[in-house]
Amino acid sequence: MSVHDINARGPYRFTRAGRDVYHMPLARPWSSALTHHGMWSLFVTDQEPARQGVPGRRFPLHPPESVLGHWLAIYATAAYDADAVRWLREARGLEAPAGDVLPAESYVAMARLAEVSTIGNDSRSFGRDPWWAPAGSPYCRGTIAWWLEEMVVFEPLPAAQAGRLTYVDQELLPELRERVRLAKDRFWRPEVYPVPLALPLLAPEPAPPPAPPQHQVKPPRRELPANDAPVPPMGPVQQLGLFGEPGPATAPDARSSTESPTPPYASPAELLDARTPCGTPPSVLLAATARVLALLADGARHDFREVMAAAGDDLKGRNLYHRVTACPAEGGPLAPWKVPVTVAGDGQGRCWFTARGASTENNGGTS
C-alpha cells in the first residue's frame, strides 16, 4: 500500500488481533509519559545521514502492515531527549523526572498497535488530541501517529538493546508475560518517580510610585536695555571664490558713477567716431584700455582674473580683455585700443599678464 493510498482512505485500524511481540524502543522521558501520564500515541522517525552538500534530516515512518494488531514491547532506551522535557512542560504542564531516576535499557510496558493515521487525514492532529499538537505546545510531535491500545505497565525488565520492530528474545518472553500478569492482577503497581522541584516564581518588585510633579517656577524674563543708537554702515564685502579663495579685485565699471568720465589720456576726436572690427564703440574700448594700462603700470605680474576685472564688460555684458590686449604673436601695427602684453603660464591652466617689455619672473611657466 502506498502512502498516497493511506492518506486518501484516512486512519486505518487492525482487522485481526495478533500474538507476536515486537521490540519498540522509546527515548526517555517519553517512556515515563507513556507509563505514568497515559500517553497513547507514538511518532516514529528515522534519521537520514548527512551527505556532501545535503544536511541530515529526520523523516516519519509508517509501520509495516504485518505489525498492525500485534503487541509492542515498549523499551526505555538510555537516551534522554531534552527537547521532550520542554514539550511536556509547555504542552501538558508536566515536569519530567531526571535521567538518573527513570529506568533505562529496560522493557517498561506492553501495548497493541491498533491504528495508524497521518496529519493530513486525521482531525485529531488539529489540537483535538492532547498528545499530538495541543494548544500551547511548542511544536507538533510528528506527522504519522501510531495509536496504542490495551496498554499494560509492568515492573521494568532489563534487557539488551535490539532493532526496531524485531521479535523480542524468546528467552525473555516468559518473564515478560509473567510481569504483565502480575501488573494486571495488581500485584505490582508503577513506581512514582520524583521530579525536580520547579523553580520558584520570582514576583517582580513593584515599581516605585512616580514622584509628584513639582511646581516649576519660570525664571523671570530679563529684558535687554534698548539701544537706539544708529547702526554704522556696513564695510566693504569681500567675495570669495568657489573653493573659498579670495576673489579678484573688483575693478570700477565703465558705467560706474565713481569713475572719472574722462580717460587718463586724450583721444583723437576722429577716433571716437570710427567703426571697429568687433563692433564695439571706440570710446568703450579706449576706456577699457586705460584701465588695463593702469593695472599693468606697476610692472608686476597680474592674474588673468585681475585683467578681466580691469577691462570690464561692454554694453552687452561681454568682457573686453581679449579686445584690448595684444600678445607678441599678433603681427602688424596695433590698434590704438590694444595694450601689448606678455602672457606667462604654469601649464596647469593659470596665466599672468605683464606689460610687454617689463622685467618679471616667469615662475617656471611658458609665454
Side-chain angles (χ1 to χ4, degrees), residues 190-226:
E191 183 180 354
V192 179
Y193 302 110
V195 297
L197 296 177
L199 296 177
L201 296 178
L202 299 179
E205 298 182 0
Q214 299 180 357
H215 181 66
Q216 298 181 355
V217 180
K218 291 185 177 181
R221 184 176 179 180
R222 299 178 57 185
E223 296 286 349
L224 297 177

Side-chain angles (χ1 to χ4, degrees), residues 19-43:
R19 298 178 58 86
D20 295 335
V21 183
Y22 294 91
H23 176 89
M24 187 64 209
L26 185 62
R28 303 172 300 163
W30 292 119
S31 59
S32 67
L34 186 141
T35 58
H36 287 72
H37 300 289
M39 186 179 76
W40 51 73
S41 58
L42 301 178
F43 294 88

Side-chain angles (χ1 to χ4, degrees), residues 44-56:
V44 184
T45 59
D46 208 348
Q47 182 72 27
E48 180 181 352
R51 305 188 304 273
Q52 183 176 4
V54 180

Side-chain angles (χ1 to χ4, degrees), residues 62-358:
H62 278 277
E65 290 191 22
S66 59
V67 180
L68 192 64
H70 291 269
W71 295 98
L72 298 181
I74 307 301
Y75 181 84
T77 64
Y80 191 87
D81 189 354
D83 200 32
V85 178
R86 171 171 165 256
W87 193 95
L88 292 172
R89 180 184 297 120
E90 298 184 14
R92 300 300 308 274
L94 301 174
E95 286 295 333
D100 56 351
V101 175
L102 293 175
E105 299 183 344
S106 304
Y107 291 105
V108 294
M110 183 89 74
R112 188 185 300 276
L113 178 58
E115 187 178 359
V116 179
S117 64
T118 64
I119 196 171
N121 61 23
D122 196 340
S123 61
R124 289 172 290 186
S125 63
F126 300 102
R128 292 179 56 189
D129 186 79
W131 291 102
W132 198 332
S137 59
Y139 55 88
C140 178
R141 286 181 60 200
T143 58
I144 302 176
W146 299 17
W147 301 95
L148 306 178
E149 294 180 359
E150 305 177 45
M151 187 180 304
V152 180
V153 180
F154 52 80
E155 182 181 359
L157 175 61
Q161 174 74 353
R164 183 194 302 126
L165 297 182
T166 58
Y167 290 108
V168 175
D169 189 357
Q170 295 295 325
E171 297 181 358
L172 291 176
L173 281 179
E175 180 66 21
L176 194 63
R177 291 194 176 100
E178 179 64 18
R179 299 200 180 199
V180 170
R181 185 186 64 81
L182 292 175
K184 286 184 176 180
D185 295 340
R186 296 186 180 276
F187 287 105
W188 181 88
R189 297 192 178 187
E191 183 180 354
V192 179
Y193 302 110
V195 297
L197 296 177
L199 296 177
L201 296 178
L202 299 179
E205 298 182 0
Q214 299 180 357
H215 181 66
Q216 298 181 355
V217 180
K218 291 185 177 181
R221 184 176 179 180
R222 299 178 57 185
E223 296 286 349
L224 297 177
N227 185 5
D228 296 333
V231 179
M234 185 173 60
V237 179
Q238 181 184 12
Q239 183 176 359
L240 302 180
L242 180 61
F243 301 101
E245 72 277 5
T250 304
D253 187 50
R255 293 159 290 178
S256 175
S257 59
T258 58
E259 184 186 5
S260 174
T262 58
Y265 60 94
S267 304
E270 63 276 6
L271 188 59
L272 298 179
D273 298 330
R275 295 183 59 85
T276 60
C278 59
T280 306
S283 58
V284 177
L285 295 176
L286 292 174
T289 302
R291 293 192 294 271
V292 172
L293 287 173
L295 175 67
L296 302 179
D298 56 359
R301 294 191 310 170
H302 291 274
D303 189 72
F304 172 73
R305 294 170 295 182
E306 298 181 58
V307 177
M308 289 184 61
D313 300 337
D314 60 6
L315 300 179
K316 295 183 180 181
R318 299 171 298 184
N319 200 269
L320 298 170
Y321 86 95
H322 63 283
R323 306 181 210 175
V324 298
T325 57
C327 297
E330 297 186 18
L334 297 180
W337 50 79
K338 290 284 188 176
V339 178
V341 295
T342 300
V343 182
D346 59 355
Q348 302 296 326
R350 297 187 62 186
C351 58
W352 297 268
F353 285 74
T354 56
R356 194 180 304 174

